[in-house]
Each structure stands twice: as structure tokens, then as C-alpha cells.
């Protein structure tokens, strides 16, 4: 199954890279405020689904652009192009994200960065890899010196004040905060130790499914803002090594409004 997922991700990456040469000619549609989709997102998604469906005709899908397709106990969770806004601006940070759940438990994960040809993979119980080399989360003892990834709540302003509180609690006490614009890659970077931690409000399952398994298999922990594992329901995520997660949670907690808990 992992091999099929990798083939699907690489094929999608080829479609994205070919299209990146003519970004100016792409037709762009708005889904909701600040949420864009192009024919590249749709073509890449269709390719991923075709590759997987050919091998596993009974499996279900939850894909960003085409939605839910029910099947047996297996569900593929797909973000064909994570970082569409970056892609449209030629800002070189975007990736393909594919995860597989069996009876609601994550089984495998692939995040593929076609620009760097970096392939992050994980299988439940089998560890996490970057281009076939084992990766681990970092083990910092304090926020001091830590590099933290995040995403801004740009689609809806309702959590902006709470977010800015969290941001100011962390920005002064860490080495820095990065907003690169592709959550799947942010999470893959936590898994591979390029970032020490990550938090974001309002993610969708396809943004985070693969990244979650990558981090778990790399020795990290993830929770929602209630210290539970209901992140697919809330979309809110804090991630890092057990210690980093705890330190970040402490900094974030005082800024939570009732709707975020
Ligand atoms: C977006 C990216 C971004 C995150 C947004 C997502 P998209 O995904 O992951 O980093 O902040 O919440 O929607 O729309 O480019 O696939
Ligand atoms: Ca996404
Ligand atoms: Ca997307």
C-alpha cells in the first residue's frame, strides 16, 4: 500500500511541477474567502485517486477537492496540493499529502515535496523516514532556542485575537516562529527535526492526516487544545516532542477562548 501511495504522490508531484511553469495561465477559483483552487489541484487529486483506486477498488476516499467517497474500512485522506497560495505565487513551499486510515486509525503517510524531491513516509509501528532514512523529532529541554512552525487563521477572523495571544506568548521565548504556508510540510518538518514544534487553529483532516502519523512515528506527540486527540474534529493542533508539546501547551493555554477548548 505504501508503494502505491508513493507512486500516486510522485505522479501528482509531476503534474504540479509541469503546471508550475505556466502558473500565470491557470484558471483560479475561490472556494471561500482566501481559499483558492486551480485545475492543478483537481488534476493532481484525480491522478492520486485513479492510481489508488486501480489497486484498491473497495477503499474509500476523503479528498479535499472531490470530498467523500465511501468504501470498506480503509479511507485514503488526500490533499493533492497543500500550499496552493504559495504555488500560485511561485513561493516554493508546497507538497502532496496522502494518508491511509483503517477503521479510523492512521496506517500510513506520505508527504511529497516535488521541488526538493523529498519524500516523507511513515507506517504505523514502522517509524518515519525522509528519502528512506529514519527521522526523529528533536528533544529540546526548553522553548529557548526552539524553532516553531505555525499557520495563521486567515480564513476566518474569529480566532485571530486568541491566535495573536498565543503568538506573542511564544515569539519572545523561542528562537523564532515560521509560517511557511503548507501545513503538511510543517508537520513533516517537525517529524524530521527541522522544526521543534508546531501549532495551528482550524486545519482540515487532509492538511494534517499524513503529518500526524509522521510525527507519531518520529517519536512526537500531538493533541488538540484540550490535550486530547480530537484534532480531526476541531482542526486545532499542537505538536512536538513530549517535552516541547508540554511547553507549548503551557504557553498557549492561557489564550484559549471557550470555542477553542
Ligand atoms: C492550507 C495550508 C496552510 C494552512 C491552511 C491550509 P491548502 O492548505 O496547509 O498552511 O494554514 O489552513 O488550508 O489550502 O493550500 O491546501
Ligand atoms: Ca491543505
Ligand atoms: Ca490543498
Amino acid at each position: 500500500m505504501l508503494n502505491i501511495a508513493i507512486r500516486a504522490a510522485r505522479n501528482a508531484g509531476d503534474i504540479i511541477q509541469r503546471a508550475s511553469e505556466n502558473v500565470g495561465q491557470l484558471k483560479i477559483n475561490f472556494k471561500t474567502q482566501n481559499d483558492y483552487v486551480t485545475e492543478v489541484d483537481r488534476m493532481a487529486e484525480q491522478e492520486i485517486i485513479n492510481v489508488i483506486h486501480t489497486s484498491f477498488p473497495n477503499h474509500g476516499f476523503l479528498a479535499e477537492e472531490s470530498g467523500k467517497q465511501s468504501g470498506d474500512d480503509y479511507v485514503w485522506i488526500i490533499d493533492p496540493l497543500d500550499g496552493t497560495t504559495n504555488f500560485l505565487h511561485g513561493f516554493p513551499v508546497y507538497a502532496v499529502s496522502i494518508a491511509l486510515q483503517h477503521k479510523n486509525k492512521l496506517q500510513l503517510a506520505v508527504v511529497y515535496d516535488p521541488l526538493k524531491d523529498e519524500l516523507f513516509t511513515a507506517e504505523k509501528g514502522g517509524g518515519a523516514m525522509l528519502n528512506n532514512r529514519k527521522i526523529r523529532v528533536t528533544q529540546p529541554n526548553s522553548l529557548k532556542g526552539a524553532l516553531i512552525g505555525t499557520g495563521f487563521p486567515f480564513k476566518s477572523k474569529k480566532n485571530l485575537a486568541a491566535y495573536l495571544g498565543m503568538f506573542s506568548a511564544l515569539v519572545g521565548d523561542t528562537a523564532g516562529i515560521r509560517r511557511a504556508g503548507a501545513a503538511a510540510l510543517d508537520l513533516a518538518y517537525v517529524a524530521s527535526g527541522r522544526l521543534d514544534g508546531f501549532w495551528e487553529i482550524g486545519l482540515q483532516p487532509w492538511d494534517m492526516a499524513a503529518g500526524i502519523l509522521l510525527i507519531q512515528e518520529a517519536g512526537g506527540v500531538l493533541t488538540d487544545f484540550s490535550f486530547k486527540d480530537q484534532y480531526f474534529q476541531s482542526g486545532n493542533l499542537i505538536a512536538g516532542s513530549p517535552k516541547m508539546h508540554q511547553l507549548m501547551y503551557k504557553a498557549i493555554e492561557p489564550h484559549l477562548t471557550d470555542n477553542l477548548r
Side-chain angles (χ1 to χ4, degrees):
M1 289 198 217
L2 182 60
N3 287 336
I4 298 295
I6 291 172
R7 189 190 308 157
R10 285 193 183 277
N11 288 4
D14 288 348
I15 290 172
I16 293 166
Q17 279 319 91
R18 256 182 275 132
S20 71
E21 288 157 27
N22 296 304
V23 166
Q25 275 140 50
L26 288 175
K27 211 165 73 224
I28 304 167
N29 294 311
F30 299 92
K31 289 198 275 192
T32 54
Q33 196 199 1
N34 291 341
D35 199 358
Y36 306 96
V37 61
T38 69
E39 60 231 79
V40 182
D41 301 64
R42 296 206 179 96
M43 274 160 50
E45 181 165 303
Q46 204 43 61
E47 172 64 17
I48 294 167
I49 292 176
N50 287 347
V51 169
I52 295 171
H53 185 74
T54 304
S55 295
F56 308 111
N58 299 323
H59 290 187
F61 291 94
L62 173 63
E64 179 173 14
E65 313 305 343
S66 56
K68 235 184 189 154
Q69 242 174 270
S70 35
D72 58 13
D73 289 340
Y74 286 95
V75 180
W76 293 85
I77 305 177
I78 300 164
D79 190 336
L81 173 52
D82 185 49
T84 297
T85 303
N86 284 348
F87 173 78
L88 287 172
H89 287 259
F91 188 93
V93 181
Y94 44 83
V96 180
S97 178
I98 302 175
L100 175 63
Q101 270 187 335
H102 180 244
K103 295 190 174 170
N104 292 321
K105 293 224 156 52
L106 288 163
Q107 292 299 316
L108 68 83
V110 174
V111 173
Y112 179 57
D113 174 347
L115 283 160
K116 294 198 170 69
D117 191 23
E118 286 189 329
L119 183 73
F120 299 86
T121 55
E123 282 183 280
K124 178 97 190 133
M129 320 273 244
L130 164 52
N131 290 346
N132 287 324
R133 296 170 79 150
K134 209 141 189 136
I135 49 175
R136 300 287 298 166
V137 297
T138 56
Q139 301 291 341
N141 284 319
S142 83
L143 289 175
K144 206 164 159 251
L147 188 63
I148 306 293
T150 189
F152 303 141
F154 62 98
K155 283 179 201 158
S156 138
K157 295 216 170 82
K158 80 170 187 273
N159 294 317
L160 194 56
Y163 177 82
L164 291 174
M166 300 170 188
F167 185 90
S168 48
L170 285 164
V171 73
D173 289 343
T174 57
I177 297 181
R178 299 287 180 267
R179 195 299 190 245
L185 265 190
D186 292 331
L187 295 170
Y189 281 16
V190 174
S192 54
R194 293 173 180 173
L195 290 171
D196 298 301
F198 172 83
W199 94 100
E200 185 159 347
I201 296 173
L203 289 168
Q204 296 292 334
W206 44 81
D207 299 318
M208 54 180 155
I212 287 170
L213 187 63
L214 280 166
I215 292 179
Q216 287 170 338
E217 289 296 322
V221 296
L222 308 103
T223 68
D224 56 21
F225 293 158
S226 305
F227 227 89
K228 299 206 177 85
D229 63 359
Q230 301 299 300
Y231 25 73
F232 284 129
Q233 283 73 21
S234 68
N236 306 327
L237 201 58
I238 304 178
S241 68
K243 176 80 183 175
M244 183 51 55
H245 176 274
Q246 191 191 30
L247 292 167
M248 288 179 67
Y249 190 84
K250 251 183 150 167
I252 286 170
E253 206 277 333
H255 304 281
L256 293 174
T257 47
D258 287 347
N259 70 306
L260 288 172
R261 279 175 209 277

